[in-house]
Amino acid sequence: MTGMDVLRILLIAGGAAMAVSCGGEAPPKREAPARPVAKAAAAAALPAVDVGAEIASFYKERGFKPLWVRRSGLTPAGERLLEMIGRAGEDGLDPSKYGLPLLRSAAGAVAGGDAATVAKAELLLSRAFADYVRDLHQPANEKAVFFVDEELAPARTSRREVLEAAAAAPSLERHLEQAGQMNPLYEALRTALAQYRSSGGDPAGERLLLANMERARSIPANPGRRYVIVDTAGARLWMVEGRKVVDSMKVIVGKPDMATPEMAGLIRYLTLNPYWNMPPDLARERAKKVLKRGPGVVAAERLQILSDWSDRPRVLNASQVNWRAVASGAQPLRMRQLPGGDNMMGNVKFMLPNRLGIYLHDTPNKANFQLLERRLSSGCVRVEDAQRLSRWLFGGKVVRPSGPAPEQNVDLPEPVPVYITYLTAVPKAGGGALFRPDVYRRDARMLAMVDDRARQRRA
């Protein structure tokens, strides 16, 4: 009996693919495959290996050819896979979840083992590989990040898809390297965790590093050819090409009570000479000023009062507004500031259209970038050097408005992803980790996930 024959038997006996026969076809109805299959499994003196229908159908369609084993032992790819599973703890994952002790035992028995032993090792390795890759690339809390553009979210793959990608690879060993590769931010945190552990770091710091690796897991392994990362905890922006940071600048982000969300979207165009659409809470504050100082406040701040939030609102006179109702919050009011001068948007907005109304933009208040505490905005991200960011987005080209007309939109040559994250633990220059205050109070939820994994390991 060959290894492929026994692989068929184990799949059927495990209940994963009851329609599979030794010929790869569904058996005729007059046959009863369960009894002879059970006898064959018993003769092999091995328990059935239940790997599920997805893995069973994968093997059926490839003629039950193995990926990881041969009669003389594991293939180089199988050895590499076993090593990867053994190091899953470096990613905050639990090697025992993937059956590491059983994997090692089965792998050690392959050389010189019978066909059933070889087949069992193959199935166990495939199940472990599929589960490990999915866990590595999928964030524990998928709802923590708002994905404006779903194509930027980490891919959700099935066990079968993971195995099909491996089987189709020209080099399985090279494919394993790629499967373990994550985005540069995550990999830097993984290195920091290893250094922190080796230097005898305390458990609290380790938990924070693991929690921030979970955040970084929300950025795809391949974030794009060119992309932007904004870290709201550190109030900093990076421009990245491939796996290399090419530039960086300070940013101003949301106040603690108006926190900038974790999100990802595509910067699709610039808006030159932008209006500033005033947030509702600030419109209430302006209404209070009008009640105290008179309607001249509106003209002094170059504000427009608009009839509604449509694309073509009417401009209202200050005398048409019930300022007391607006100041109390009983009546909403749309107000916007005209372009130029002290417009809060500066000269340009970097638009990633989204329902939260969050984007990157210029600002006239450059002095605020010298502050250590730069959580000052109403949620949007103010950039230190909008012209420098614009030139990078346009490949070195300087983009200028055509005259004074407001709201001039200029499409990027190609959309550029921006990933807005929140890192309370980051790699430190020279090795180790730097820990930051949890100003937005988001760590508790992430730490609870880390603790849940730890409890599962101890159970």
Side-chain angles (χ1 to χ4, degrees), residues 18 42 51 69 110 145 183 230 241 255 311 320 326 357 363 398:
M18 294 301 294
V51 292
V69 301
V110 168
V145 177
N183 64 72
V230 175
E241 296 179 3
K255 295 173 283 191
D311 291 337
Q320 296 175 269
V326 175
T363 177
V398 177

Side-chain angles (χ1 to χ4, degrees), residues 70-153:
R70 53 195 174 194
R71 290 300 294 269
S72 61
L74 297 188
T75 64
E79 296 283 2
R80 173 66 179 137
L81 173 56
L82 197 60
E83 178 187 345
M84 287 175 65
I85 300 299
R87 297 175 61 182
E90 296 176 5
D91 294 282
L93 304 175
D94 183 5
S96 66
K97 176 182 177 181
Y98 313 107
L100 182 62
L102 184 57
L103 286 176
R104 286 174 171 162
S105 175
V110 168
D114 59 17
T117 300
V118 173
K120 182 177 180 180
E122 171 71 19
L123 293 175
L124 290 172
L125 286 164
S126 279
R127 182 175 64 186
F129 174 66
D131 289 345
Y132 168 73
V133 169
R134 294 170 73 206
D135 288 348
L136 179 63
H137 291 275
Q138 200 63 40
N141 185 359
E142 297 182 34
K143 296 182 180 179
V145 177
F146 170 54
F147 291 98
V148 180
D149 299 281
E150 280 298 321
E151 62 263 39
L152 299 185

Side-chain angles (χ1 to χ4, degrees), residues 167-185:
S171 166
L172 187 51
E173 290 178 79
R174 175 59 182 152
H175 180 78
L176 287 179
E177 291 180 18
Q178 294 171 340
Q181 189 177 71
M182 301 290 283
N183 64 72
L185 176 59

Side-chain angles (χ1 to χ4, degrees), residues 37 45 65 70 72 109 143 165 226 288 403 427 456:
V37 162
K65 292 183 293 184
R70 53 195 174 194
S72 61
K143 296 182 180 179
R226 305 168 75 241
K288 293 174 184 177
Q456 291 169 10

Side-chain angles (χ1 to χ4, degrees), residues 252 363 365-374 376 382:
I252 291 168
T363 177
N365 300 323
K366 304 297 186 183
N368 287 339
F369 290 103
Q370 303 308 312
L371 301 173
L372 291 177
E373 175 52 56
R374 296 194 297 277
L376 306 169
R382 305 174 193 171

